[in-house]
Amino acid sequence: MGIRLTNEEILAILRAADEIIGQGGRTLLAKILKGSRDKKVLELGLDLCPTYGYFRAQTLEQIMEKVDWMIHHDFLEIQFSGKLPMLVFTEQGWTIERSQIVEELLKEWDAWLRKGVAAVDMSYLKERNRGMVLELLETVKRKRASQYVPFLEQWEKIEVRKVREAIRETIAALRSEDGLSSLDGQHKQTEFTVPGLEPELLKCRECGERFQFEVEEQKFYKSKGFAPPKRCPKCREKKWFRNMGIELPGDDRRGIVRGKRRLTWISMV
Ligand SMILES: [Zn+2]
């Protein structure tokens, strides 16, 4: 009780959970975060997770408390596989984790570009979670990051039809951007390093109202690797109350969402 996790801690736990989602429970997750040398942890290669040992200085019990906080606050939940309680993402948890993975993948692409790597085996992206893959392509498009086209082209060759089409569409969008900006050599770089300097008008998926996504907010969301908010500030606040277990009058959406999201959020990462 009484604990409160920072955004960074939430991200770290989600990242570790991703390694075992649908396959492991609370204890295994806590062991990853503890940096445990447990046989199972090592056998599954979980010591390679970027947030392995994130809570090294804490006791397993303290870490379990954080894991339970994540469950209580609707980032993770327990589903039974037979008699075994397994962790799965909630909608909220998966939305955040998906963006985090997209950022991680793009950082790797950036590293390849810096090293001048030209030919890459892109098969590691095959059979990854479809929602994540589509968000990756959306992000590349939004950033107008045409430097990734060589990777996209190699990836396209090995993909299944649906994803192949999405990759092709992304490449085409990036190429037409490139054509427009070819008169100005600086343009591309500027676009990429200082994206979205204008407030965006977004539509709330809960109440349908338009709301302003301010530049400062955009920077914060980006630095955390979060996708843009899906709800207006008012609905976000309501959601926060719901997550804290405070039901506001006339609010029955949680039940609806809970009912239909079973097993949809299993990640293939
Ligand atoms: Zn709203």
Side-chain angles (χ1 to χ4, degrees):
M1 281 290 139
I3 59 164
R4 217 193 143 81
L5 300 196
T6 64
N7 282 342
E8 199 196 292
E9 290 175 321
I10 292 171
L11 288 174
I13 298 172
L14 289 174
R15 184 60 189 82
D18 208 335
E19 303 286 341
I20 57 161
I21 215 74
Q23 299 166 48
R26 294 157 61 244
T27 311
L28 187 58
L29 176 55
K31 282 180 179 171
I32 301 173
L33 292 160
K34 171 74 185 161
S36 155
R37 306 299 293 167
D38 183 282
K39 200 170 148 215
K40 193 171 177 197
V41 171
L42 300 180
E43 260 171 22
L44 294 171
L46 299 173
D47 53 332
L48 299 174
C49 170
T51 58
Y52 172 78
Y54 186 87
F55 291 122
R56 205 177 288 276
Q58 308 207 14
T59 66
L60 209 55
E61 213 166 76
Q62 286 170 320
I63 302 170
M64 289 287 267
E65 217 179 311
K66 293 180 198 296
V67 171
D68 288 339
W69 186 95
M70 294 287 285
I71 296 169
H72 190 71
H73 288 80
D74 200 32
F75 292 101
L76 294 169
E77 67 183 10
I78 299 286
Q79 257 170 27
F80 281 86
S81 167
K83 277 185 181 161
L84 298 173
M86 301 298 188
L87 284 170
V88 295
F89 289 122
T90 61
E91 179 181 12
Q92 172 178 241
W94 174 231
T95 305
I96 296 170
E97 174 56 14
R98 199 172 54 191
S99 302
Q100 178 165 232
I101 290 296
V102 164
E103 289 302 319
E104 201 174 296
L105 291 169
L106 291 181
K107 263 187 209 142
E108 193 176 30
W109 290 11
D110 288 336
W112 293 343
L113 286 171
R114 277 196 304 277
K115 283 188 224 152
V117 176
V120 195
D121 178 9
M122 301 298 284
S123 56
Y124 76 106
L125 287 177
K126 244 183 129 174
E127 288 170 29
R128 295 286 280 264
N129 177 278
R130 186 67 57 88
M132 188 279 290
V133 159
L134 294 179
E135 183 169 327
L136 171 64
L137 292 169
E138 264 320 302
T139 307
V140 169
K141 225 191 286 182
R142 201 175 57 237
K143 289 182 169 181
R144 303 174 191 185
S146 55
Q147 68 270 34
Y148 299 141
V149 167
F151 303 141
L152 295 174
E153 284 173 337
Q154 289 167 61
W155 180 16
E156 185 204 324
K157 286 184 201 140
I158 53 127
E159 263 300 349
V160 295
R161 192 175 52 83
K162 274 253 168 72
V163 181
R164 206 163 59 219
E165 280 166 12
I167 298 173
R168 237 175 248 161
E169 199 189 296
T170 306
I171 295 173
L174 292 172
R175 286 240 168 86
S176 68
E177 280 288 339
D178 235 15
L180 289 174
S181 60
S182 61
L183 291 175
D184 174 13
Q186 295 300 310
H187 180 77
K188 206 172 77 187
Q189 192 56 34
T190 328
E191 282 290 338
F192 185 52
T193 46
V194 198
L197 271 181
E198 279 173 25
E200 278 179 63
L201 204 58
L202 302 178
K203 191 177 175 188
C204 174
R205 76 164 178 200
E206 199 147 335
C207 68
E209 295 265 351
R210 302 265 171 195
F211 64 97
Q212 195 101 318
F213 185 31
E214 302 294 350
V215 173
E216 277 312 305
E217 275 185 291
Q218 291 179 23
K219 283 188 200 154
F220 172 78
Y221 273 71
K222 198 178 161 349
S223 74
K224 293 288 169 204
F226 294 165
K230 296 195 170 60
R231 296 176 176 78
C232 70
K234 242 192 266 169
C235 291
R236 251 179 278 162
E237 193 184 326
K238 269 195 245 162
K239 186 161 192 278
W240 187 84
F241 277 113
R242 283 200 303 267
N243 289 346
M244 301 305 283
I246 305 163
E247 290 291 327
L248 297 174
D251 190 355
D252 58 356
R253 194 181 151 81
R254 186 181 173 84
I256 299 167
V257 173
R258 274 201 174 273
K260 67 176 182 191
R261 73 159 181 239
R262 297 282 145 198
L263 271 176
T264 322
W265 320 108
I266 302 275
S267 157
M268 305 294 176
V269 170

